[in-house]
Amino acid sequence: DSGVTQTPKHLITATGQRVTLRCSPRSGDLSVYWYQQSLDQGLQFLIQYYNGEERAKGNILERFSAQQFPDLHSELNLSSLELGDSALYFCASSGTSGGAGYEQFFGPGTRLTVL
Amino acid sequence: GQSLEQPSEVTAVEGAIVQINCTYQTSGFYGLSWYQQHDGGAPTFLSYNALDGLEETGRFSSFLSRSDSYGYLLLQELQMKDSASYFCAVRTNQAGTALIFGKGTTLSVSS
């Protein structure tokens, strides 16, 4: 158990819909990362937050957005869903945004299926 | 852009040694990490190399050559439970402290 929690575990929805994925980082970790894992693209970095502020963006679509709240939990919002958005979405956390926080702790993931 | 190359599949038998190579192209390189992922599970951290050389952690070792943009993960005394996907990932100044992953190597260990 990494200490990172994600809800829900599974999500099935239809094209065009909007969903919210939730992540609680390990106690004390200020950085939260979102990754998307699909069969053809592997693990892709989407976005990072550090202590409530956006820190870095990866291959995140404009239809997707995220935020980190004062209690450090984070939400990833996916809208106008397409079939290709079906994937495993992981949240990870680390202890610092500086050089020492190289180990990331991954949550169990949310499996999103878009029908 | 950034890219990482690693073999897609490797097979080995129990007790053997296997090496998974990773070559990368990136700017602002900080270090190379390795993660293990069992089917349907979360990636778990194995090792991190920021400097050239070999880092050993039990049965697993990781090597980095910054001048060659190359690293490898060495798994010794293979066990069936080592069957999993192994990902190399780079930390660069292009992505905060996020990880840019390779596509992963599926290791199958047979008896």
Side-chain angles (χ1 to χ4, degrees):
Chain A
D1 184 356
S2 67
V4 179
T5 61
Q6 289 187 248
T7 57
K9 197 174 173 71
H10 300 278
L11 201 46
I12 301 175
T13 188
T15 54
Q17 295 298 304
R18 173 189 168 94
V19 297
T20 298
L21 314 184
R22 183 187 167 103
C23 166
S24 291
R26 289 188 324 152
S27 177
D29 283 356
L30 299 179
S31 276
V32 168
Y33 313 80
W34 286 97
Y35 295 90
Q36 178 194 57
Q37 186 172 35
S38 57
L39 281 173
D40 56 341
Q41 292 295 326
L43 264 165
Q44 290 217 305
F45 166 61
L46 296 178
I47 196 164
Q48 177 196 358
Y49 277 82
Y50 175 75
N51 202 20
E53 301 287 326
E54 183 184 299
R55 175 66 190 270
K57 262 186 171 175
N59 300 320
I60 189 165
L61 300 171
E62 284 191 14
R63 301 183 285 110
F64 295 1
S65 65
Q67 53 184 329
Q68 186 179 28
F69 295 86
D71 67 353
L72 300 178
H73 91 271
S74 177
E75 292 180 356
L76 179 67
N77 301 295
L78 316 176
S79 61
S80 303
L81 284 167
E82 301 174 0
L83 296 177
D85 298 327
S86 295
L88 198 47
Y89 290 84
F90 286 107
C91 166
S93 73
S94 68
T96 173
S97 66
Y102 54 75
E103 180 175 354
Q104 292 188 14
F105 298 86
F106 283 75
T110 293
R111 183 169 294 282
L112 173 66
T113 303
V114 182
L115 301 175
Chain B
Q2 293 146 66
S3 68
L4 294 94
E5 295 288 332
Q6 55 181 127
S8 57
E9 290 182 22
V10 173
T11 59
V13 296
E14 273 187 303
I17 299 172
V18 73
Q19 179 174 313
I20 300 174
N21 298 320
C22 174
T23 56
Y24 58 88
Q25 283 189 317
T26 185
S27 53
F29 177 82
Y30 283 149
L32 185 71
S33 295
W34 289 91
Y35 282 76
Q36 178 193 60
Q37 185 182 31
H38 285 98
D39 245 358
T44 55
F45 173 81
L46 291 177
S47 68
Y48 177 73
N49 295 68
L51 302 174
D52 285 357
L54 191 68
E55 296 278 346
E56 298 181 66
T57 311
R59 295 187 296 117
F60 293 179
S61 304
S62 58
F63 171 83
L64 176 67
S65 168
R66 294 176 69 111
S67 59
D68 295 323
S69 298
Y70 164 76
Y72 66 71
L73 179 69
L74 190 74
L75 300 90
Q76 302 181 76
E77 299 170 22
L78 281 173
Q79 302 174 11
M80 299 287 284
K81 67 178 182 179
D82 297 328
S83 293
S85 291
Y86 293 84
F87 294 87
C88 59
V90 294
R91 289 180 75 231
T92 82
N93 64 11
Q94 306 296 306
T97 52
L99 295 168
I100 307 302
F101 282 88
K103 296 219 170 190
T105 299
T106 300
L107 170 64
S108 300
V109 180
S110 59
S111 56

